[in-house]
Amino acid sequence: MSRVEQRAKLDLERIVFIGRTFEEYMDMFSLSMKELEGKSILDCPAGACSFTAVGNKLGLDITACDIAYDHPVEQLESKGLRDIEHAMEGMGKVKNNYIWRYFDGIEALKKHRVHALKDCTNHMRESSKHYIPVTLPSLPFQDKEFDILLSAHFLFMYADRLDHQFHIQTLNELLRVTKEEVRIFPLVDLEGKRYPYLEQLMADLMDKGYVVEEVNVSYEFMKNANTMLKIKLNA
């Protein structure tokens, strides 16, 4: 194995390739088909989510980007299945950190995660052009290239690993490539604690002229993770 191949393998092992379903996205971001039709949409970072796969088959215009997409789809699918198994094995120990209304148990959760992964990787094989490798906080897209940008389970969730400056740089980049609005979910970390700089971040965005709103959503799986941040770029 070459050094390049070793590096790729190590990098992939540091990535958790697990995703949510199209239906979860619609609930997490309080979306309707009507408001998405005719829009150019970016899912960033998208991971193993099926939003792009299902959405495009329904006639939507969705692009997914993620650091993981530098790797072959076969590796990603295999890694995803291992990650799901590992996550489900540990779920029993932290089951009380979750609200079991959306899913009626660990087996149902596993079924959703596998379904999302399969939809995602199958679509990657069929239409790889929709899946763009990126390394945040920079994106290889033009200014205002997308009407709507959705960002799930990344910003705010890893506040213990990604410092505040990274959050600011990434958010500025998300806003740069978006024309109408950015939606981010959730607003808490992996322990369900609210991002400590969120209010200051919202105030700074409003000072720059953005319309910023914290919106309650119907989706709540992890405790306290039931709001999203909606940033409108043109009032």
Side-chain angles (χ1 to χ4, degrees), residues 10-67:
L10 289 170
D11 286 348
L12 181 57
E13 287 308 309
R14 284 198 288 265
I15 297 168
V16 177
F17 199 64
I18 293 178
R20 279 78 186 172
T21 63
F22 179 86
E23 291 77 16
E24 286 180 86
Y25 259 59
M26 298 299 280
D27 292 334
M28 288 188 307
F29 291 109
S30 290
L31 294 167
S32 67
M33 286 294 292
K34 184 177 180 180
E35 64 186 313
L36 295 179
E37 288 170 352
K39 302 292 186 180
S40 176
I41 306 154
L42 179 65
D43 183 8
C44 177
C49 296
S50 66
F51 180 70
T52 299
V54 176
N56 276 288
K57 290 181 179 180
L58 292 173
L60 299 177
D61 177 13
I62 307 174
T63 299
C65 64
D66 197 282
I67 192 172

Side-chain angles (χ1 to χ4, degrees), residues 21-154:
T21 63
F22 179 86
E23 291 77 16
E24 286 180 86
Y25 259 59
M26 298 299 280
D27 292 334
M28 288 188 307
F29 291 109
S30 290
L31 294 167
S32 67
M33 286 294 292
K34 184 177 180 180
E35 64 186 313
L36 295 179
E37 288 170 352
K39 302 292 186 180
S40 176
I41 306 154
L42 179 65
D43 183 8
C44 177
C49 296
S50 66
F51 180 70
T52 299
V54 176
N56 276 288
K57 290 181 179 180
L58 292 173
L60 299 177
D61 177 13
I62 307 174
T63 299
C65 64
D66 197 282
I67 192 172
Y69 299 157
D70 253 336
H71 300 277
V73 62
E74 290 76 17
Q75 288 186 21
L76 292 177
E77 184 174 35
S78 177
K79 178 69 162 58
L81 290 171
R82 294 198 307 273
D83 287 344
I84 291 169
E85 287 295 335
H86 180 70
M88 296 307 109
E89 287 172 6
M91 185 61 71
K93 300 175 183 177
V94 294
K95 196 173 181 179
N96 291 336
N97 293 343
Y98 296 86
I99 297 171
W100 297 91
R101 286 196 298 263
Y102 202 93
F103 308 104
D104 59 11
I106 293 175
E107 280 304 311
L109 173 63
K110 180 180 178 180
K111 183 177 179 181
H112 275 74
R113 296 291 172 260
V114 171
H115 189 63
L117 174 68
K118 292 292 186 179
D119 279 348
C120 173
T121 52
N122 286 338
H123 191 239
M124 289 177 77
R125 291 185 180 96
E126 298 166 5
S127 190
S128 60
K129 67 180 181 180
H130 290 285
Y131 298 86
I132 311 298
V134 302
T135 302
L136 291 167
S138 63
L139 293 172
F141 305 117
Q142 300 297 316
D143 292 356
K144 302 185 184 303
E145 186 167 339
F146 301 93
D147 295 310
I148 299 171
L149 188 148
L150 307 175
S151 185
H153 298 97
F154 181 65

Side-chain angles (χ1 to χ4, degrees), residues 163-173 201 204 208:
D163 63 22
H164 187 54
Q165 187 60 33
F166 178 89
H167 279 74
I168 293 172
Q169 291 173 343
T170 298
L171 185 53
N172 285 338
E173 188 72 344
L201 198 63
D204 290 344
K208 293 177 180 178

Side-chain angles (χ1 to χ4, degrees), residues 156 164 168 171 195 197-205:
F156 312 137
H164 187 54
I168 293 172
L171 185 53
Y195 184 61
Y197 305 107
L198 186 60
E199 274 65 33
Q200 182 60 54
L201 198 63
M202 293 171 68
D204 290 344
L205 289 168

